Amino acid sequence: MLERYELETFLTLAEELHFGRTGERLGVSTGRVSQTVKKLERRIGTPLFARTSRSVALTPVGLRLYEDLLPAHRQIRTALERATEAGRGIHGRLRAGFGTPWGAELLMTAADALLARHPGCEITVHEVPLDGGVRPLLDGELDIQLAAFPVREPELTTGPVVVRDDRVLLLPAAHPLADRPSLGLEDLADLPLITTGGAHPRHWLDHHYPRRAPSGAAVPRGPVAATWQEVLSHVTAGRGVTPGAARGARYHPRPGIAYVPLRDAPPLEYGLIWPTAADSALLRAFVAAVGTVGEA
């Protein structure tokens, strides 16, 4: 069985391929590095490094050993770091973003529950405008965000769905279709669609604001809005219609707007996203807290 110092010496030398630099990283002498490697090679029964006066290289056996050991070493190191964080308690600052009022409620409820258990944390909740997309995350202005799916940014990790809602169509209350019990996506071919632009990628816009009806007919474009208040104002003024979440009728009730179910539209899904490179005990705890609140 490998001792810890043998494991770290082997992996570090496999990365540096230089006895001097390996010793500097580990805080030991070059001789100690050489002795450790020779001892390991005697135990395995074959050279792990090919050495000359000018270079050091992994042998095929050494390369295979390095590839086998590295993932396990990383997993052990991560486990130790997490255990250390847990022992010290959860600390730090987290900036969370939302785009809907129900999203704000969910994040604030989760933040309050987490802060009650870990008062040393600081969690702030910020609104992201409709046209903001996930740009605040990519620009480092937020640490985590509750966003409408789909999100396919390679730099971001996507968590599970925490909110799912039926889709409706917001129409002017005086529109001839406003009294219908439901509408279909085919009806969009006759209605100017209020959309948003900004930082959203094409696949996200096409998912939320279809360019064509199921028959292939083009969906006409109406005004472009940057915020939900602009969307609501355009609908009230009769300038177009827009898809939305069914619960929006409770949060954005207006005499001039009708919320009509879209019977054949897929539901809206919302979940947490965060930079893939980011990781902390606080972030993981917040993700778990939001999941718990979302299930309640």
Side-chain angles (χ1 to χ4, degrees):
M1 184 173 181
L2 283 178
E3 299 290 340
R4 179 177 176 180
Y5 75 91
E6 292 176 325
L7 175 63
E8 292 182 349
T9 299
F10 170 72
L11 291 176
T12 304
L13 182 57
E15 293 172 358
E16 295 288 350
L17 297 178
H18 191 280
F19 281 84
R21 290 195 297 270
T22 298
E24 290 175 2
R25 277 182 57 178
L26 298 176
V28 299
S29 66
T30 302
R32 176 66 183 276
V33 174
S34 180
Q35 292 171 3
T36 301
V37 171
K38 288 179 180 178
K39 179 181 176 181
L40 184 57
E41 289 176 330
R42 285 196 299 270
R43 183 184 306 171
I44 293 175
T46 188
L48 301 175
F49 295 92
R51 311 165 179 81
T52 69
S53 58
R54 295 184 178 181
S55 66
V56 178
L58 283 163
T59 63
V61 174
L63 178 60
R64 177 63 182 272
L65 183 62
Y66 173 75
E67 292 175 343
D68 288 344
L69 288 177
L70 185 60
H73 181 253
R74 287 175 175 168
Q75 186 175 3
I76 292 171
R77 187 170 57 190
T78 299
L80 289 172
E81 290 173 352
R82 290 180 177 177
T84 301
E85 288 178 345
R88 293 174 179 172
I90 296 177
H91 301 280
R93 179 183 178 221
L94 192 73
R95 301 162 299 171
F98 67 91
T100 63
W102 53 91
E105 292 178 359
L106 177 59
L107 296 188
M108 290 181 179
T109 301
D112 288 344
L114 190 58
L115 290 173
R117 299 194 302 270
H118 304 284
C121 304
E122 180 185 352
I123 303 175
T124 55
V125 179
H126 309 269
E127 183 177 8
V128 178
L130 181 60
D131 67 349
V134 296
R135 181 53 54 189
L137 275 180
L138 299 175
D139 289 345
E141 298 172 5
L142 292 176
D143 303 302
I144 194 166
Q145 184 175 337
L146 182 64
F149 288 167
V151 176
R152 301 172 187 162
E153 298 291 339
E155 305 96 325
L156 300 177
T157 291
T158 302
V161 174
V162 294
V163 174
R164 185 178 281 107
D165 199 4
D166 293 331
R167 205 176 302 206
V168 298
L169 193 65
L170 283 67
L171 300 94
H175 195 281
L177 299 179
D179 292 332
R180 295 271 187 94
S182 68
L183 295 170
L185 290 174
E186 194 62 42
D187 292 310
L188 296 179
D190 300 320
L191 304 170
L193 202 63
I194 300 166
T195 63
T196 188
H200 293 290
R202 175 69 179 266
H203 73 266
W204 189 94
L205 291 170
D206 288 347
H207 179 83
H208 290 274
Y209 306 103
R211 293 178 177 273
R212 293 193 175 277
S215 66
V219 176
R221 267 16 198 179
V224 175
T227 68
W228 261 106
Q229 291 304 316
E230 289 184 15
V231 171
L232 298 173
S233 297
H234 284 310
V235 175
T236 302
R239 295 172 181 166
V241 304
T242 196
R247 68 188 66 193
R250 302 198 309 268
Y251 289 88
H252 303 297
R254 289 198 178 190
I257 295 180
Y259 291 77
V260 182
L262 275 172
R263 58 180 175 270
D264 55 351
L268 289 171
E269 296 180 332
Y270 303 83
L272 290 171
I273 53 175
W274 59 91
T276 301
D279 184 34
S280 70
L282 176 55
L283 188 146
R284 293 191 298 272
F286 187 70
V287 171
V290 170
T292 300
V293 173
E295 294 172 356

